[in-house]
Amino acid sequence: EPFLHCWAEDGNLFSKSCKTRKNVIEEYSVFAAMAMLLYFILLTDLSVISTRVSAFVLVCGRLLPEVGLCLGALAFSAVTFTFVIGALEQEGSHFGGVGDTMVRLVQVPLGMFHQEDYDQLSAMPAMYFAMFLYVVATGVFLLNLLTAQLSCAYKASYFDMLGYSRLTRAKVVKATMPQVPRRRWEEFVAALQLDERLPFREGDVGVSGGIQVFEPASANVTSEDTIRRYAGPTFPTDPWPATEEVQTHGSIDRFDRLEKIMRKSLRHLRDRGGGSSGGSSMVEDDLMLF
């Protein structure tokens, strides 16, 4: 710490004007910048709070190899054209040596190479043609290839990353659970009221062990009650009665599937020909009555 050097020099604990501080402040600033970078990288662990954000972070990590491949190709192209341009005649150009040439070629795909520099190369056709090839290879081909790679890889990885993000959240929860006090955990479980039965609807009590979540009635429309109830005990020796509804359930399902197929076919016919929409709607009404 620089203030420790100042404290040893003039006795002031938080002084910044001592001479010894100038000898260590540059190295200290580099390590401080690295510490800040690592700190904010660690903050990405908080992305598990949101499944969507966590999936995005995982996708970014999955796409880093693609970016690395593109950067490697750009570096190889820069090294190649550095020696190509170094072999050409260079009178009054900015490409003086290998280092200067490398820096200027790196500036080209980053958009830092100014138009005035291109105008100076127009007096040397060979240099101008080499720069043209380099711009086509890096700015046109490699960068657009990187865009296509990232787009395809993102679409292929995002849905898998949703599952991975849920697994990551479960891993964090598992690592955090031993640190939760037992009393606080018991109060949380008691507040969930998992022992109480959940009502399917008003006056219709269901099973326990769940958390009730309400949704609009139009979210999942059902024309038939999928919950079947039977009177009597639930002993294995006393089976459920074979009612008429159960016996004919298979035939009802077949009629329902046939009705769905007919409705789907009529909908396709109505979409293809707009003039026959009235007749199709009448047939659908007949199906509803049937």
Side-chain angles (χ1 to χ4, degrees), residues 197-210:
R197 294 180 177 271
L198 301 177
F200 292 119
R201 59 174 64 92
E202 186 177 357
D204 188 3
V205 181
V207 297
S208 60

Side-chain angles (χ1 to χ4, degrees), residues 73-171:
L74 289 174
F76 178 78
S77 301
V79 172
T80 301
F81 281 89
T82 295
F83 289 97
V84 169
I85 293 176
L88 297 174
E89 182 67 24
Q90 305 178 23
E91 294 183 359
S93 66
H94 296 287
F95 303 94
V98 175
D100 295 338
T101 305
M102 179 74 70
V103 171
R104 293 196 172 274
L105 290 181
V106 170
Q107 292 176 350
V108 171
L110 298 178
M112 301 172 61
F113 200 76
H114 302 290
Q115 183 63 36
E116 294 79 7
D117 299 326
Y118 287 108
D119 295 338
Q120 293 180 1
L121 294 176
S122 60
M124 295 173 286
M127 288 276 294
Y128 195 80
F129 183 72
M131 183 61 67
F132 170 76
L133 293 179
Y134 177 75
V135 171
V136 171
T138 57
V140 177
F141 178 71
L142 289 179
L143 294 182
N144 287 291
L145 179 62
L146 175 63
T147 303
Q149 281 182 320
L150 294 180
S151 178
C152 295
Y154 183 85
K155 291 180 180 179
S157 303
Y158 181 73
F159 294 102
D160 294 337
M161 292 302 108
L162 284 175
Y164 286 138
S165 64
R166 295 188 179 98
L167 292 177
T168 303
R169 176 185 289 185
K171 183 179 179 181

